[in-house]
């Protein structure tokens, strides 16, 4: 089973959560492992809506055992978070091109 952690629970983060959720019914071994957003309210809402773990911090999400981390954040804060995720994870999907 491929476990996915999602950083960012705004519009695009929720689209990524929707996309992952739609894979399991198609027989693909993918599940949402957890979510974190700087807004505790958005984190909890996404965790409830997608029946997954709400992480209280970015560090907590990155310390969890995920096979892939999706970063769905505004471009101006993505790079440092992506670098932090890459240090311990290796498999990171950045939502937008960082051109």
């Amino acid at each position: 089973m491929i476990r996915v952690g999602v950083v960012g629970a705004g519009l695009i983060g929720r689209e990524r959560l929707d996309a992952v959720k739609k894979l399991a019914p198609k027989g693909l071994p993918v599940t949402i492992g957890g979510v974190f957003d700087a807004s505790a309210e958005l984190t909890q809402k996404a965790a409830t809506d997608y029946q997954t773990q709400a992480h209280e911090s970015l560090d907590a999400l990155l310390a969890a055992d995920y096979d892939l981390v999706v970063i769905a954040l505004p471009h101006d804060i993505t790079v440092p978070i992506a670098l932090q995720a890459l240090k311990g994870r290796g498999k990171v999907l950045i939502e937008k091109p960082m051109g």
Side-chain angles (χ1 to χ4, degrees):
M1 182 64 66
I2 299 169
R3 296 189 61 211
V4 178
V6 178
V7 179
L11 175 67
I12 301 303
R14 290 183 70 88
E15 286 185 13
R16 295 306 147 247
L17 288 161
D18 283 337
V20 173
K21 185 177 180 179
K22 290 176 183 176
L23 295 175
K26 294 180 179 183
L28 298 169
V30 179
T31 187
I32 302 166
V35 63
F36 168 73
D37 191 278
S39 163
E41 182 179 332
L42 286 178
T43 299
Q44 192 55 55
K45 174 135 178 59
T48 299
D49 291 348
Y50 295 93
Q51 300 173 342
T52 192
Q53 180 177 357
H55 289 284
E56 294 181 8
S57 69
L58 175 63
D59 289 337
L61 183 135
L62 295 178
D65 186 26
Y66 297 127
D67 301 297
L68 171 69
V69 173
V70 174
I71 300 175
L73 298 172
H75 70 278
D76 59 331
I77 61 173
T78 296
V79 173
I81 292 170
L83 291 173
Q84 185 179 350
L86 284 167
K87 284 182 184 175
R89 183 101 9 247
K91 294 182 182 174
V92 174
L93 172 74
I94 299 174
E95 169 52 36
K96 55 187 66 91
M98 291 290 105

